[in-house]
Amino acid sequence: MTDAVQNLAAALAAGQVEVVDLTQPLSEETPVLRLPEPFANTPRFRLRELSHYDERGPAWYWNAFEGGEHTGTHFDAPIHWVSGQELDDVSQVPPSRLIGPAVVIDHADRAAADPDHLLRVEDVEAFEAEHGRLPDGGWLLYRTGWDARAQDEAAFLNADDTGPHTPGIDVACARWLADERPILGIGVETVGTDAGAAHSFDPPFPCHAFLLGAGKYGLTQLANVDRLPPTGALVIAAPLKIVGGSGSPTRVLALVPR
């Protein structure tokens, strides 16, 4: 091993670096996005048992599974959105762009007071004034406390007659992050990278439109972001290498110095 890798392995073994799992459990109970007609909806995640140490396979247990690419904690590849349709599918994302330093902007208190709360450019600039510029080749993780609702689909989607109400990022900030900051992408705790009300924005769904159109990525339905410091963590996202895929359920890990 090189010195750097050897030092990391030693720090992990000594507990000087903690591995924090940012992934929600994936099951039939995992909340999924619900689109109005006439749009197609994603199937829920399901396991179908193939054998369980029985006559179908006496020494092994295994399952087939079904589910949408954008189910549970998942990765949005640029090709997911029309603005990035000529860019990478999930199998084409370079592995070096699946790992990067992370910063955490915590607006959990504001989202608790207003579920439609939106992150603005001035919020990010205020964070940068205290902690430094967003890292080149890094992730911006936007904490809203929404992961506490992840086991209750109704609370997680938080929809009423006017549509879903979940926190997100405003149009100007989404465009600014896409154009002005060299980040890999953004990570959120909600069902998608855009706010629940983003269907009514101009343009609609700006995080998808601007960030994926700029060749950046999205990570959604994250957990345990509250266990990360504002700066100093390293995030590893590992989507399935689905050829032609627009995204994938993803195991997301953070390495955090302790």
Side-chain angles (χ1 to χ4, degrees), residues 37 40 42 56 59 64 70 73 81 101-102 148 160 163 179 188 205 210 214 256:
E37 294 183 351
T42 185
R56 300 170 297 171
H70 300 264
T73 300
W81 213 251
D160 61 19
D179 295 343
V188 300
F205 308 106
F210 293 134
V256 182

Side-chain angles (χ1 to χ4, degrees), residues 120-127 170 173:
R120 306 163 302 165
V121 172
E122 48 265 47
D123 297 319
V124 184
E125 290 178 331
F127 177 90
D170 77 8
C173 189

Side-chain angles (χ1 to χ4, degrees), residues 2-115:
T2 65
D3 288 347
V5 174
Q6 198 165 29
N7 290 340
L8 175 59
L12 286 164
Q16 296 169 337
V17 173
E18 180 185 6
V19 181
V20 176
D21 194 344
L22 303 183
T23 318
Q24 292 286 359
L26 185 58
S27 75
E28 294 186 9
E29 308 305 318
T30 296
V32 295
L33 183 68
R34 285 290 153 214
L35 298 177
E37 294 183 351
F39 303 117
N41 274 297
T42 185
R44 290 186 178 280
F45 181 83
R46 285 191 172 84
L47 290 179
R48 178 169 57 83
E49 188 177 278
L50 298 176
S51 72
H52 199 166
Y53 322 119
D54 53 26
E55 68 281 0
R56 300 170 297 171
W60 53 90
Y61 165 58
W62 61 343
N63 303 289
F65 62 84
E66 176 191 31
E69 296 168 326
H70 300 264
T71 301
T73 300
H74 66 268
F75 182 96
D76 290 345
I79 201 174
H80 174 44
W81 213 251
V82 64
S83 55
Q85 62 182 295
E86 303 299 330
L87 302 178
D88 286 348
D89 68 44
V90 70
S91 73
Q92 296 168 324
V93 175
S96 61
R97 288 176 59 79
L98 297 174
I99 303 174
V103 300
V104 178
I105 296 181
D106 189 339
H107 280 198
D109 55 347
R110 305 185 207 188
D114 175 12

Side-chain angles (χ1 to χ4, degrees), residues 209-227:
F210 293 134
L211 287 153
L212 300 184
K216 298 179 180 182
Y217 314 120
L219 292 172
T220 76
Q221 290 182 247
L222 297 174
N224 299 319
V225 179
D226 61 323
R227 294 176 58 189

